[in-house]
Amino acid sequence: MEQIVNAYYADNAKKLHKTVDKILVRFGGLTDKDTDDFYSLANEVFVDAMRRYDAAQSFDVFLYSCLSNKFKTEMTRRNREKRRIDRLCVSIDTPVGDGEDCTLGDMIADGHTVERELFERGDGGYSRRMLQYLDRLSSLQKEVLRLDADGYLPGEIREKLHISERQYADCRTAIHSYRNVSVLLS
């Protein structure tokens, strides 16, 4: 057993890190902090593997399978945690109260919105990026954006433009979609 420990922990645990790296490369997209977390987890797994090893197979194969199983479990746990947080998120466009005319965004004290900024400047004040963004919107989407910036409530906008809730929701989705807004971020 001492030979195994020396082999894996010689040269600053080079062999253990090499084994861990072989497994982690399949997951991809890990930060240095994540990799460090998995190196620490590998130390715990190594101790457990040493205790459970029965020489029925080579220790390298046994440790690799133990590490792989533990890492898969840890990645599942981390992803589950991310999904749990996502389920707790609420859209700022979520209707509040009995009526559909008030959203969470309407209740925020700050009056600054992208929509208002768009239409307060006038055509001459737009940056190249803002003009690209507006070019991506249909005339209906621009009108929904303008009315929203003017302070109309969702129900009033739908009534004024004679559109359904679904059409309104589609316009709002397009106005805030990453595909359209991405030109403002580049």
Side-chain angles (χ1 to χ4, degrees):
M1 287 293 166
E2 188 174 325
Q3 290 174 330
I4 293 173
V5 172
N6 289 338
Y8 275 92
Y9 283 94
D11 197 17
N12 202 19
K14 185 176 181 178
K15 186 172 181 179
L16 182 62
H17 286 191
K18 189 175 178 181
T19 304
V20 168
D21 291 340
K22 279 183 191 177
I23 298 168
L24 293 182
V25 75
R26 291 184 301 168
F27 292 112
L30 296 174
T31 65
D32 289 340
K33 183 190 176 306
D34 290 329
T35 303
D36 287 342
D37 289 347
F38 282 102
Y39 287 150
S40 296
L41 186 59
N43 288 320
E44 294 173 25
V45 172
F46 184 85
V47 170
D48 183 56
M50 288 290 293
R51 199 177 53 231
R52 294 185 309 130
Y53 181 60
D54 62 3
Q57 59 186 333
S58 83
F59 183 76
D60 294 343
V61 172
F62 180 69
L63 178 63
Y64 187 90
S65 67
C66 290
L67 288 169
S68 182
N69 290 336
K70 186 67 171 184
F71 291 174
K72 287 176 189 173
T73 301
E74 177 63 14
M75 289 303 286
T76 301
R77 185 193 66 74
R78 288 179 179 206
N79 289 334
R80 185 179 301 125
E81 194 65 32
K82 288 177 191 175
R83 287 190 303 270
R84 184 175 320 159
I85 290 170
D86 287 345
R87 283 193 303 258
L88 298 176
C89 294
V90 177
S91 170
I92 198 164
D93 294 323
T94 301
V96 175
D98 294 334
E100 300 171 7
D101 291 341
C102 186
T103 66
L104 286 176
D106 297 332
M107 302 191 125
I108 296 175
D110 187 10
H112 176 76
T113 63
V114 174
E115 290 88 345
R116 188 168 307 285
E117 185 177 326
L118 280 172
F119 289 101
E120 284 179 352
R121 290 189 179 181
D123 288 336
Y126 292 152
S127 69
R128 177 185 55 81
R129 289 180 184 163
M130 191 62 72
L131 291 172
Q132 285 177 326
Y133 167 73
L134 290 171
D135 284 343
R136 290 179 175 214
L137 301 179
S138 71
S139 57
L140 179 60
Q141 292 163 354
K142 287 178 192 174
E143 189 60 21
V144 167
L145 183 61
R146 185 186 65 74
L147 291 171
D148 188 46
D150 287 344
Y152 286 88
L153 297 172
E156 294 171 327
I157 295 172
R158 289 193 310 267
E159 185 177 319
K160 192 167 188 69
L161 298 177
H162 306 290
I163 59 175
S164 68
E165 288 182 37
R166 180 68 188 171
Q167 288 172 305
Y168 174 79
D170 289 345
C171 286
R172 293 286 298 173
T173 299
I175 289 167
H176 294 100
S177 75
Y178 179 77
R179 187 182 71 74
N180 289 334
V181 176
S182 64
V183 297
L184 299 172
L185 307 174
S186 59

